[in-house]
Amino acid sequence: MNIDELALSLQRNRLTRRQVLGLFGAAALSGCASSPVGGGSILVGMDEDEEKAVDKKVAPQQFSQDLGAVQDAQINDYLVSVGRRLDANVHRPQMPYSYRVLNANYVNAYTFPGGAMGVTRGILVELDNEAELAGLLGHELGHVNARHAAQRQGKAMVAQVAMSGANLIGTAAGYGGLVDLGTQLGASVLLSSYSRDNEREADQLGQDYMVRAGYPASGMVGLQELLVEQQKSSPGMLQTMFSTHPMSSERRDTARQLAEEKYAASNKRDPGRERFMDSTAALRRIKPCIDACQKGETAMAGKQYGKAEEQFRTALKATPRDYAANLLLAKSLSMQDKDAQALEYARAATKIYPQEAQAQKLVGVLALQQRDPASAYAHLDQYDRLLPGDVGVTFLKGVSQEGMGNRQEAARFYAAYLRQNRQGKAAEYSQSRLQSWGYLK
């Protein structure tokens, strides 16, 4: 991307999608401890306070990337009630566990190191009873209690030392933002793939936790069976689940053996099907919308934007006021350079769910492309209020101010961007403008 060309485009209010997409990259994040589960020595990259701090800083960003919690208090309250029943029986009850059902359509659940957990609506509508849900949450609690994320950070630090010879201190580093117009299937860098040993340990801990909480151990078997079958029939729909949680029939068979032997007495317990069905009825009613969104996101991942558009329009026919479907349709239209139509659906998404940030950012980017920097700034500023800390949005606010002719304000945002990120095209552009305006030598 040519920096002079971008400057000229801003002067003429003719910013293109290619120029916006060319500006960004994501910043990276950069001791031994006793395992809370087994008591043995484990290598970790952060202490407990840092685990909690990571959740506070990073989890809101990822939950928003997954389109926020569903706008249904009953469903979220139900998930919290199941989570609380489980986390009263774990090895680390002092952690600040939290639970929410996310608007994401892909099939997954994940947790951050301090216990902030998200369950996608895509997996919730596939479960059959509360015991399976308990197995899902128990598995994620297993990762937190065995400190698997902290261990991965420790291993990453060792690898970094081996490569660079640097003397690294075991603390969490900073995080940068990423402006993304395309579909983001998957979680943040902290949610990178667990090892198979991690998965086995989380399965066994989760099954133990659910039995302690009064559920039948067969719920874990049902969950594993569901995932194995879906992996066979619809691997594209589950690509994120299996990139972060390696699946195998061996894990299912181990869960079944434990249920039939160690936990055999528990299987006489009520799996809670009626309670689960009643509590998730509203979500299951929009399953046709979720299914169509899944297909659309798979098409988006394969850059089949026209096919994705068809699927998102199908989703909206089923559920016209679905936040995720409106936002995803806007993204698919934008990727086809149908920016005026994209802006219409992105604006609709902001009205459907004004408390969620992603639609605000998309409207801001699209408004820039439609030569409306004032509207762009208003929506980007609203994004910043809802979800502070996205350095990419700081830069785009500078672009918006420059487009309005407010050089001093633009310079303030460009300087703020450079304080957080000095690499990439956006940094290069920010520095060039500050130099040309006399703020830097």
Side-chain angles (χ1 to χ4, degrees), residues 326-372:
N326 276 276
L327 182 58
L328 291 166
L329 177 56
K331 289 184 177 184
S332 68
L333 289 166
S334 177
M335 298 307 291
Q336 299 174 78
D337 293 322
K338 300 177 182 178
D339 292 335
Q341 292 182 59
L343 188 55
E344 175 187 347
Y345 286 100
R347 288 190 187 278
T350 65
K351 293 173 183 176
I352 292 166
Y353 198 167
Q355 302 85 10
E356 213 298 297
Q358 294 306 311
Q360 301 288 346
K361 180 163 67 173
L362 184 56
V363 170
V365 172
L366 291 170
L368 277 174
Q369 293 165 204
Q370 292 293 294
R371 309 178 195 177
D372 188 358

Side-chain angles (χ1 to χ4, degrees), residues 288-289 292-293 310-327 329-330 345 352:
C289 172
C293 283
E310 291 176 9
Q311 291 295 335
F312 297 138
R313 290 191 184 279
T314 297
L316 284 177
K317 285 180 182 177
T319 312
R321 287 188 56 78
D322 185 70
Y323 172 73
N326 276 276
L327 182 58
L329 177 56
Y345 286 100
I352 292 166

Side-chain angles (χ1 to χ4, degrees), residues 158-217:
V158 169
Q160 200 168 348
V161 170
M163 291 178 64
S164 66
N167 182 21
L168 300 180
I169 300 174
T171 57
Y175 302 86
L178 171 66
V179 170
D180 172 28
L181 276 180
T183 301
Q184 177 164 345
L185 291 178
S188 76
V189 67
L190 274 175
L191 305 175
S192 58
S193 180
Y194 291 109
S195 71
R196 292 193 181 276
D197 285 343
N198 287 163
E199 291 299 290
R200 292 185 187 100
E201 185 174 27
D203 284 346
Q204 291 175 28
L205 287 169
Q207 199 165 17
D208 188 57
Y209 295 155
M210 64 185 293
V211 171
R212 290 188 200 181
Y215 291 103

Side-chain angles (χ1 to χ4, degrees), residues 8 31 164 228 232 271 304 347 371 414 439:
L8 186 61
S164 66
V228 168
K232 293 177 183 175
Q304 297 175 299
R347 288 190 187 278
R371 309 178 195 177
Y414 291 150
Y439 291 98

Side-chain angles (χ1 to χ4, degrees), residues 16 127 132-133 151 182 192 236 258 260 277 284 313 318 322 343-345 368 383-384 394 407:
T16 67
L127 301 177
E132 290 182 359
L133 175 59
Q151 289 181 62
S192 58
L258 287 169
E260 292 174 351
M277 290 295 172
R284 288 184 293 103
R313 290 191 184 279
D322 185 70
L343 188 55
E344 175 187 347
Y345 286 100
L368 277 174
Y383 175 94
D384 227 358
T394 300
R407 180 178 293 183

Side-chain angles (χ1 to χ4, degrees), residues 78-90:
Y78 171 64
L79 185 73
V80 170
S81 71
V82 177
R84 290 285 172 260
R85 184 172 164 182
L86 288 160
D87 66 37
N89 295 277
V90 299

